[in-house]
């Protein structure tokens, strides 16, 4: 085969419906999202906790990544993106056979009526295998984000049982309801890249888990320095850079929506980081590297539901809000609320206080 024929349809590996650019970007975006978890959050969690919890915390993220993948291809993907069983749940089935994985990607229940009366179904221009893996990386990082609320609190054996159960009975419900063509999708609800399906669901689940598991020991809460600040920043950097795939892959195509989403993602994160750091300087008299990481993460989470939908000036406004409102709730309001002091999710808060003092 010479260069002039390399991109022609010459084999079953390049069917007429395949858009190689979209497929290449989707696999790249999937890899970027996967890197957020492995090794991004593995490094971040291991570095941000006390030394005695480092290995346990890293293993929680490592285990979740592997366990979610197997559960996803055996049952979870088609519960979230398969044929409808209930308005909020798909029919569970394996996503492993070549006959299924090599066909053109399609979300069965996403059929909707356009303004001109025609009906349309979401059908990306690449194989189902690419979509299965892309959506797996979203499911995996949801569980790993949830893990952040119980680091240093939860027994690893309990976590091993919790991961598949929460994936099947919680995550797939939210994913099908919105992205899989369930009732929220048909109501017109928009979640560009995971504000509800990923961040709200993991946040509420983390809050609930932290409440029932209970607070850390008093001695641990009083002094909670990260065991390796430089590695923590490396993990945070992988999380930030990987977010370009997180939001850039959401349109299911390498189109202009993806370009805007990537730019907005980084603009909002940078703005939020700067606002959080500035508030630390004004209130505490000096900046905090932990605070910078917190601001980065709140900015990334804030922009996700609308990354490809808002203008870039709005991304700056969102960054200002995400860098200030969570700062107030974490640094001011939590000290006045017994409930927040009992269940507050983020290890980062305690470490921020440790480094500040």
């Amino acid at each position: 085969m010479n260069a002039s024929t390399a991109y022609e349809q010459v084999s079953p590996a390049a069917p007429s419906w395949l858009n190689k650019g979209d497929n290449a970007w989707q696999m790249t975006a999937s890899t970027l999202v996967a890197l957020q978890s492995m090794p991004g959050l593995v490094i971040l969690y291991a570095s941000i906790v006390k030394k005695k919890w480092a290995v346990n915390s890293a293993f929680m993220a490592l285990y979740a990544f592997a366990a979610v993948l197997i559960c996803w291809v055996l049952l979870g993907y088609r519960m979230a993106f398969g044929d409808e069983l209930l308005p909020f749940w798909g029919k569970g089935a394996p996503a492993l056979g070549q006959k299924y994985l090599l066909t053109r990607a399609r979300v069965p229940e996403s059929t909707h009526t356009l303004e001109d009366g025609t009906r349309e179904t979401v059908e990306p221009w690449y194989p189902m295998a690419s979509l299965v893996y892309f959506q797996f990386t979203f499911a995996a990082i949801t569980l790993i984000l949830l893990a952040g609320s119980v680091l240093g609190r939860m027994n690893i054996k309990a976590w091993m049982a919790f991961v598949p159960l929460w994936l099947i009975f919680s995550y797939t419900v939210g994913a099908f309801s919105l992205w899989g063509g369930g009732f929220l999708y048909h109501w017109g609800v928009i979640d560009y890249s995971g504000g509800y399906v990923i961040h709200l669901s993991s946040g509420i689940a983390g809050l609930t888990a932290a409440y029932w598991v209970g607070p850390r020991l008093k001695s641990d809460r009083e002094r909670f320095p990260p065991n390796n600040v430089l590695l923590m920043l490396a993990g945070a950097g992988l999380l930030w850079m990987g977010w370009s795939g997180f939001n850039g892959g959401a349109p299911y195509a390498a189109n202009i929506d993806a370009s805007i989403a990537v730019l907005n993602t980084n603009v909002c994160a940078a703005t939020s980081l700067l606002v959080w750091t500035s508030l630390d300087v004004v209130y505490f008299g000096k900046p905090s590297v932990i605070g910078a990481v917190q601001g980065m993460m709140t900015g990334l989470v804030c922009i996700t539901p609308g990354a490809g939908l808002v203008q870039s000036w709005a991304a700056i406004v969102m960054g200002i809000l995400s860098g200030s409102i969570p700062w107030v709730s974490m640094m001011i309001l939590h000290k006045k609320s017994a409930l927040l002091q009992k269940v507050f999710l983020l290890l980062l808060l305690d470490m921020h206080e440790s480094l500040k003092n």
Side-chain angles (χ1 to χ4, degrees):
M1 181 184 299
N2 58 44
S4 63
T5 61
Y7 296 98
E8 293 180 4
Q9 183 179 343
V10 294
S11 73
S16 58
W17 48 259
L18 178 66
N19 183 306
K20 295 179 181 179
D22 284 353
N23 195 34
W25 169 239
Q26 209 64 36
M27 290 190 290
T28 300
S30 300
T31 303
L32 287 170
V33 180
L35 286 171
Q36 291 182 281
S37 300
M38 283 287 300
L41 286 171
V42 171
I43 295 173
L44 180 62
Y45 285 171
S47 306
I48 210 167
V49 297
K50 284 186 172 182
K51 188 175 182 179
K52 66 178 181 178
W53 293 330
V55 174
N56 181 275
S57 298
F59 183 63
M60 287 178 70
L62 175 66
Y63 167 79
F65 192 82
V68 170
L69 176 55
I70 300 306
C71 294
W72 193 246
V73 295
L74 288 177
L75 191 65
Y77 175 76
R78 294 176 77 168
M79 293 182 73
F81 294 92
D83 295 310
E84 182 178 316
L85 175 65
L86 297 169
F88 53 84
W89 229 358
K91 297 178 182 177
L96 289 169
Q98 284 198 359
K99 184 178 180 181
Y100 180 78
L101 294 175
L102 298 183
T103 57
R104 181 177 172 183
R106 184 172 184 270
V107 180
E109 297 303 318
S110 66
T111 302
H112 53 283
T113 303
L114 302 178
E115 292 181 358
D116 61 4
T118 60
R119 294 175 66 78
E120 183 177 81
T121 301
V122 176
E123 292 184 294
W125 298 92
Y126 44 77
M128 188 67 77
S130 296
L131 186 58
V132 170
Y133 185 71
F134 178 71
Q135 291 297 342
F136 147 69
T137 62
F138 275 44
I141 198 171
T142 305
L143 264 298
I144 296 173
L145 288 171
L146 196 166
S149 63
V150 291
L151 297 181
R153 302 186 188 202
M154 194 170 190
N155 181 280
I156 188 64
K157 292 181 180 178
W159 176 249
M160 291 173 69
F162 176 83
V163 167
L165 291 173
W166 193 86
L167 173 74
I168 297 301
F169 293 104
S170 182
Y171 181 82
T172 57
V173 172
F176 184 86
S177 298
L178 254 173
W179 291 342
F183 74 100
L184 292 177
Y185 175 90
H186 289 288
W187 284 0
V189 178
I190 296 176
D191 181 3
Y192 175 80
S193 190
Y196 166 78
V197 178
I198 297 174
H199 298 130
L200 184 60
S201 66
S202 62
I204 295 298
L207 180 69
T208 305
Y211 177 83
W212 287 109
V213 172
R216 299 174 188 87
L217 297 176
K218 187 175 185 296
S219 59
D220 288 324
R221 297 199 306 273
E222 290 174 349
R223 182 69 181 167
F224 204 129
N227 72 80
N228 195 317
V229 174
L230 290 179
L231 273 181
M232 179 197 72
L233 287 175
L238 285 167
L239 189 68
W240 186 349
M241 294 301 100
W243 223 284
S244 292
F246 197 104
N247 288 344
Y252 292 162
N255 56 22
I256 59 175
D257 198 18
S259 300
I260 292 295
V262 170
L263 178 61
N264 286 346
T265 297
N266 288 274
V267 166
C268 185
T271 303
S272 185
L273 184 154
L274 295 175
V275 169
W276 194 295
T277 301
S278 298
L279 289 171
D280 276 346
V281 172
V282 170
Y283 195 80
F284 299 119
K286 60 182 179 180
S288 165
V289 66
I290 300 291
V293 172
Q294 288 173 311
M296 175 205 80
M297 293 178 69
T298 56
L300 291 169
V301 170
C302 179
I303 192 63
T304 293
L309 306 173
V310 303
Q311 296 189 45
S312 293
W313 63 262
I316 292 179
V317 174
M318 294 171 73
I320 294 171
L321 296 174
S322 65
S324 57
I325 295 174
W327 185 91
V328 171
S329 67
M330 291 180 66
M331 301 305 162
I332 307 297
L333 296 182
H334 95 279
K335 297 178 181 179
K336 303 178 181 179
S337 170
L339 176 64
L340 290 179
Q341 290 177 31
K342 181 178 180 180
V343 304
F344 214 93
L345 306 191
L346 297 179
L347 296 164
L348 298 172
L349 177 61
D350 300 314
M351 288 178 284
H352 187 285
E353 294 291 327
S354 296
L355 290 183
K356 183 188 68 175
N357 296 327

